[in-house]
mmCIF file of all heavy atoms in Angstrom:
data_model
loop_
_atom_site.group_PDB
_atom_site.id
_atom_site.type_symbol
_atom_site.label_atom_id
_atom_site.label_comp_id
_atom_site.label_asym_id
_atom_site.label_seq_id
_atom_site.Cartn_x
_atom_site.Cartn_y
_atom_site.Cartn_z
ATOM 1 N N VAL A 11 137.243 -31.838 126.327
ATOM 2 C CA VAL A 11 138.276 -32.872 126.221
ATOM 3 C C VAL A 11 137.575 -34.216 126.075
ATOM 4 O O VAL A 11 136.525 -34.445 126.686
ATOM 5 C CB VAL A 11 139.176 -32.857 127.471
ATOM 6 C CG1 VAL A 11 140.110 -34.068 127.491
ATOM 7 C CG2 VAL A 11 139.982 -31.567 127.546
ATOM 8 N N VAL A 12 138.135 -35.103 125.268
ATOM 9 C CA VAL A 12 137.584 -36.443 125.084
ATOM 10 C C VAL A 12 138.357 -37.422 125.956
ATOM 11 O O VAL A 12 139.596 -37.464 125.912
ATOM 12 C CB VAL A 12 137.652 -36.878 123.606
ATOM 13 C CG1 VAL A 12 137.084 -38.276 123.438
ATOM 14 C CG2 VAL A 12 136.900 -35.882 122.722
ATOM 15 N N LEU A 13 137.618 -38.216 126.753
ATOM 16 C CA LEU A 13 138.228 -39.209 127.630
ATOM 17 C C LEU A 13 137.636 -40.578 127.337
ATOM 18 O O LEU A 13 136.440 -40.694 127.032
ATOM 19 C CB LEU A 13 137.999 -38.860 129.106
ATOM 20 C CG LEU A 13 138.497 -37.496 129.573
ATOM 21 C CD1 LEU A 13 137.310 -36.544 129.694
ATOM 22 C CD2 LEU A 13 139.214 -37.598 130.895
ATOM 23 N N THR A 14 138.467 -41.598 127.464
ATOM 24 C CA THR A 14 137.984 -42.960 127.220
ATOM 25 C C THR A 14 138.617 -43.921 128.209
ATOM 26 O O THR A 14 139.768 -43.741 128.622
ATOM 27 C CB THR A 14 138.281 -43.397 125.774
ATOM 28 O OG1 THR A 14 137.644 -44.638 125.513
ATOM 29 C CG2 THR A 14 139.780 -43.551 125.543
ATOM 30 N N ASP A 15 137.863 -44.948 128.585
ATOM 31 C CA ASP A 15 138.376 -45.982 129.486
ATOM 32 C C ASP A 15 137.426 -47.165 129.512
ATOM 33 O O ASP A 15 136.230 -47.004 129.780
ATOM 34 C CB ASP A 15 138.549 -45.427 130.910
ATOM 35 C CG ASP A 15 139.162 -46.442 131.849
ATOM 36 O OD1 ASP A 15 140.206 -47.023 131.513
ATOM 37 O OD2 ASP A 15 138.591 -46.670 132.944
ATOM 38 N N ASP A 16 137.941 -48.345 129.224
ATOM 39 C CA ASP A 16 137.210 -49.598 129.391
ATOM 40 C C ASP A 16 135.829 -49.565 128.728
ATOM 41 O O ASP A 16 134.808 -49.885 129.348
ATOM 42 C CB ASP A 16 137.073 -49.909 130.884
ATOM 43 C CG ASP A 16 136.675 -51.363 131.135
ATOM 44 O OD1 ASP A 16 136.899 -52.202 130.242
ATOM 45 O OD2 ASP A 16 136.128 -51.640 132.219
ATOM 46 N N GLY A 17 135.803 -49.140 127.479
ATOM 47 C CA GLY A 17 134.558 -49.151 126.712
ATOM 48 C C GLY A 17 133.661 -47.964 126.933
ATOM 49 O O GLY A 17 132.599 -47.857 126.308
ATOM 50 N N CYS A 18 134.044 -47.054 127.826
ATOM 51 C CA CYS A 18 133.246 -45.851 128.087
ATOM 52 C C CYS A 18 134.012 -44.641 127.568
ATOM 53 O O CYS A 18 135.171 -44.426 127.923
ATOM 54 C CB CYS A 18 132.974 -45.699 129.580
ATOM 55 S SG CYS A 18 132.084 -44.195 130.028
ATOM 56 N N SER A 19 133.372 -43.849 126.710
ATOM 57 C CA SER A 19 134.014 -42.659 126.149
ATOM 58 C C SER A 19 133.056 -41.488 126.225
ATOM 59 O O SER A 19 131.849 -41.632 125.974
ATOM 60 C CB SER A 19 134.422 -42.895 124.691
ATOM 61 O OG SER A 19 135.312 -43.994 124.577
ATOM 62 N N ALA A 20 133.583 -40.331 126.573
ATOM 63 C CA ALA A 20 132.735 -39.146 126.696
ATOM 64 C C ALA A 20 133.543 -37.904 126.379
ATOM 65 O O ALA A 20 134.774 -37.876 126.549
ATOM 66 C CB ALA A 20 132.147 -39.052 128.097
ATOM 67 N N VAL A 21 132.858 -36.877 125.916
ATOM 68 C CA VAL A 21 133.455 -35.560 125.784
ATOM 69 C C VAL A 21 132.988 -34.755 126.990
ATOM 70 O O VAL A 21 131.825 -34.816 127.380
ATOM 71 C CB VAL A 21 133.064 -34.889 124.446
ATOM 72 C CG1 VAL A 21 131.561 -34.776 124.290
ATOM 73 C CG2 VAL A 21 133.712 -33.509 124.322
ATOM 74 N N ALA A 22 133.917 -34.034 127.622
ATOM 75 C CA ALA A 22 133.627 -33.379 128.896
ATOM 76 C C ALA A 22 134.096 -31.939 128.884
ATOM 77 O O ALA A 22 135.111 -31.602 128.256
ATOM 78 C CB ALA A 22 134.323 -34.143 130.035
ATOM 79 N N VAL A 23 133.371 -31.093 129.604
ATOM 80 C CA VAL A 23 133.754 -29.693 129.762
ATOM 81 C C VAL A 23 133.315 -29.237 131.161
ATOM 82 O O VAL A 23 132.225 -29.597 131.617
ATOM 83 C CB VAL A 23 133.123 -28.809 128.664
ATOM 84 C CG1 VAL A 23 131.599 -28.759 128.804
ATOM 85 C CG2 VAL A 23 133.706 -27.406 128.674
ATOM 86 N N PRO A 24 134.141 -28.483 131.873
ATOM 87 C CA PRO A 24 133.737 -27.988 133.196
ATOM 88 C C PRO A 24 132.539 -27.052 133.097
ATOM 89 O O PRO A 24 132.452 -26.245 132.169
ATOM 90 C CB PRO A 24 134.979 -27.242 133.695
ATOM 91 C CG PRO A 24 136.114 -27.800 132.900
ATOM 92 C CD PRO A 24 135.536 -28.112 131.551
ATOM 93 N N VAL A 25 131.649 -27.148 134.050
ATOM 94 C CA VAL A 25 130.478 -26.277 134.059
ATOM 95 C C VAL A 25 130.894 -24.815 134.202
ATOM 96 O O VAL A 25 130.304 -23.926 133.586
ATOM 97 C CB VAL A 25 129.526 -26.684 135.202
ATOM 98 C CG1 VAL A 25 128.384 -25.679 135.336
ATOM 99 C CG2 VAL A 25 128.978 -28.082 134.956
ATOM 100 N N GLU A 26 131.944 -24.571 134.975
ATOM 101 C CA GLU A 26 132.366 -23.192 135.228
ATOM 102 C C GLU A 26 132.733 -22.447 133.949
ATOM 103 O O GLU A 26 132.521 -21.236 133.844
ATOM 104 C CB GLU A 26 133.552 -23.180 136.199
ATOM 105 C CG GLU A 26 134.023 -21.777 136.548
ATOM 106 C CD GLU A 26 135.108 -21.761 137.607
ATOM 107 O OE1 GLU A 26 135.269 -22.767 138.320
ATOM 108 O OE2 GLU A 26 135.789 -20.730 137.727
ATOM 109 N N THR A 27 133.295 -23.153 132.965
ATOM 110 C CA THR A 27 133.726 -22.492 131.725
ATOM 111 C C THR A 27 132.821 -22.820 130.536
ATOM 112 O O THR A 27 133.154 -22.513 129.388
ATOM 113 C CB THR A 27 135.181 -22.882 131.400
ATOM 114 O OG1 THR A 27 135.311 -24.310 131.384
ATOM 115 C CG2 THR A 27 136.138 -22.297 132.421
ATOM 116 N N LEU A 28 131.680 -23.435 130.813
ATOM 117 C CA LEU A 28 130.716 -23.782 129.762
ATOM 118 C C LEU A 28 129.922 -22.546 129.328
ATOM 119 O O LEU A 28 129.530 -21.725 130.160
ATOM 120 C CB LEU A 28 129.760 -24.856 130.298
ATOM 121 C CG LEU A 28 128.613 -25.300 129.391
ATOM 122 C CD1 LEU A 28 129.141 -26.035 128.172
ATOM 123 C CD2 LEU A 28 127.641 -26.191 130.189
ATOM 124 N N ASP A 29 129.695 -22.411 128.028
ATOM 125 C CA ASP A 29 128.842 -21.323 127.534
ATOM 126 C C ASP A 29 127.653 -21.903 126.760
ATOM 127 O O ASP A 29 127.565 -23.112 126.530
ATOM 128 C CB ASP A 29 129.633 -20.331 126.671
ATOM 129 C CG ASP A 29 130.264 -20.974 125.440
ATOM 130 O OD1 ASP A 29 129.734 -21.992 124.940
ATOM 131 O OD2 ASP A 29 131.298 -20.459 124.968
ATOM 132 N N LYS A 30 126.739 -21.028 126.365
ATOM 133 C CA LYS A 30 125.506 -21.475 125.714
ATOM 134 C C LYS A 30 125.765 -22.154 124.376
ATOM 135 O O LYS A 30 125.078 -23.111 124.010
ATOM 136 C CB LYS A 30 124.555 -20.281 125.522
ATOM 137 C CG LYS A 30 123.995 -19.721 126.819
ATOM 138 C CD LYS A 30 123.042 -18.559 126.560
ATOM 139 C CE LYS A 30 122.470 -18.016 127.864
ATOM 140 N NZ LYS A 30 121.554 -16.871 127.615
ATOM 141 N N VAL A 31 126.746 -21.667 123.632
ATOM 142 C CA VAL A 31 127.033 -22.242 122.313
ATOM 143 C C VAL A 31 127.504 -23.687 122.461
ATOM 144 O O VAL A 31 127.012 -24.586 121.769
ATOM 145 C CB VAL A 31 128.090 -21.408 121.570
ATOM 146 C CG1 VAL A 31 128.490 -22.089 120.264
ATOM 147 C CG2 VAL A 31 127.557 -20.003 121.289
ATOM 148 N N ARG A 32 128.437 -23.921 123.369
ATOM 149 C CA ARG A 32 128.937 -25.289 123.538
ATOM 150 C C ARG A 32 127.875 -26.181 124.170
ATOM 151 O O ARG A 32 127.824 -27.377 123.891
ATOM 152 C CB ARG A 32 130.215 -25.289 124.369
ATOM 153 C CG ARG A 32 131.431 -24.881 123.528
ATOM 154 C CD ARG A 32 132.677 -25.631 123.923
ATOM 155 N NE ARG A 32 133.684 -25.528 122.878
ATOM 156 C CZ ARG A 32 134.608 -24.562 122.807
ATOM 157 N NH1 ARG A 32 134.623 -23.619 123.719
ATOM 158 N NH2 ARG A 32 135.494 -24.551 121.831
ATOM 159 N N LEU A 33 127.028 -25.619 125.008
ATOM 160 C CA LEU A 33 125.937 -26.413 125.563
ATOM 161 C C LEU A 33 125.030 -26.911 124.444
ATOM 162 O O LEU A 33 124.621 -28.081 124.431
ATOM 163 C CB LEU A 33 125.138 -25.595 126.583
ATOM 164 C CG LEU A 33 123.892 -26.273 127.156
ATOM 165 C CD1 LEU A 33 124.241 -27.608 127.812
ATOM 166 C CD2 LEU A 33 123.177 -25.354 128.139
ATOM 167 N N GLN A 34 124.709 -26.060 123.480
ATOM 168 C CA GLN A 34 123.884 -26.474 122.339
ATOM 169 C C GLN A 34 124.566 -27.578 121.539
ATOM 170 O O GLN A 34 123.924 -28.520 121.069
ATOM 171 C CB GLN A 34 123.604 -25.264 121.444
ATOM 172 C CG GLN A 34 122.670 -24.237 122.078
ATOM 173 C CD GLN A 34 122.525 -22.981 121.241
ATOM 174 O OE1 GLN A 34 123.212 -22.816 120.224
ATOM 175 N NE2 GLN A 34 121.645 -22.078 121.664
ATOM 176 N N ASP A 35 125.898 -27.464 121.395
ATOM 177 C CA ASP A 35 126.646 -28.497 120.688
ATOM 178 C C ASP A 35 126.563 -29.833 121.432
ATOM 179 O O ASP A 35 126.416 -30.896 120.805
ATOM 180 C CB ASP A 35 128.113 -28.089 120.534
ATOM 181 C CG ASP A 35 128.290 -26.904 119.589
ATOM 182 O OD1 ASP A 35 127.377 -26.671 118.775
ATOM 183 O OD2 ASP A 35 129.331 -26.238 119.669
ATOM 184 N N PHE A 36 126.654 -29.797 122.745
ATOM 185 C CA PHE A 36 126.558 -31.018 123.553
ATOM 186 C C PHE A 36 125.174 -31.643 123.412
ATOM 187 O O PHE A 36 125.038 -32.863 123.256
ATOM 188 C CB PHE A 36 126.854 -30.694 125.029
ATOM 189 C CG PHE A 36 128.292 -30.854 125.419
ATOM 190 C CD1 PHE A 36 129.292 -30.180 124.745
ATOM 191 C CD2 PHE A 36 128.652 -31.685 126.467
ATOM 192 C CE1 PHE A 36 130.624 -30.321 125.096
ATOM 193 C CE2 PHE A 36 129.978 -31.842 126.832
ATOM 194 C CZ PHE A 36 130.968 -31.157 126.152
ATOM 195 N N VAL A 37 124.151 -30.811 123.476
ATOM 196 C CA VAL A 37 122.773 -31.308 123.365
ATOM 197 C C VAL A 37 122.561 -32.003 122.025
ATOM 198 O O VAL A 37 121.846 -33.019 121.940
ATOM 199 C CB VAL A 37 121.772 -30.141 123.540
ATOM 200 C CG1 VAL A 37 120.358 -30.591 123.188
ATOM 201 C CG2 VAL A 37 121.814 -29.617 124.976
ATOM 202 N N ALA A 38 123.195 -31.501 120.989
ATOM 203 C CA ALA A 38 123.037 -32.085 119.661
ATOM 204 C C ALA A 38 123.661 -33.473 119.552
ATOM 205 O O ALA A 38 123.290 -34.265 118.681
ATOM 206 C CB ALA A 38 123.657 -31.158 118.615
ATOM 207 N N ILE A 39 124.602 -33.788 120.453
ATOM 208 C CA ILE A 39 125.285 -35.087 120.404
ATOM 209 C C ILE A 39 124.444 -36.187 121.038
ATOM 210 O O ILE A 39 124.338 -37.304 120.515
ATOM 211 C CB ILE A 39 126.662 -35.001 121.092
ATOM 212 C CG1 ILE A 39 127.567 -34.012 120.350
ATOM 213 C CG2 ILE A 39 127.334 -36.379 121.146
ATOM 214 C CD1 ILE A 39 128.857 -33.694 121.082
#
């Protein structure tokens, strides 16, 4: 999910439901 507030924006995912594929996608960002 993408969240933004007061100039700070991030894409976030819970660790519990994180998998290796999405982790690689995050690292690439």
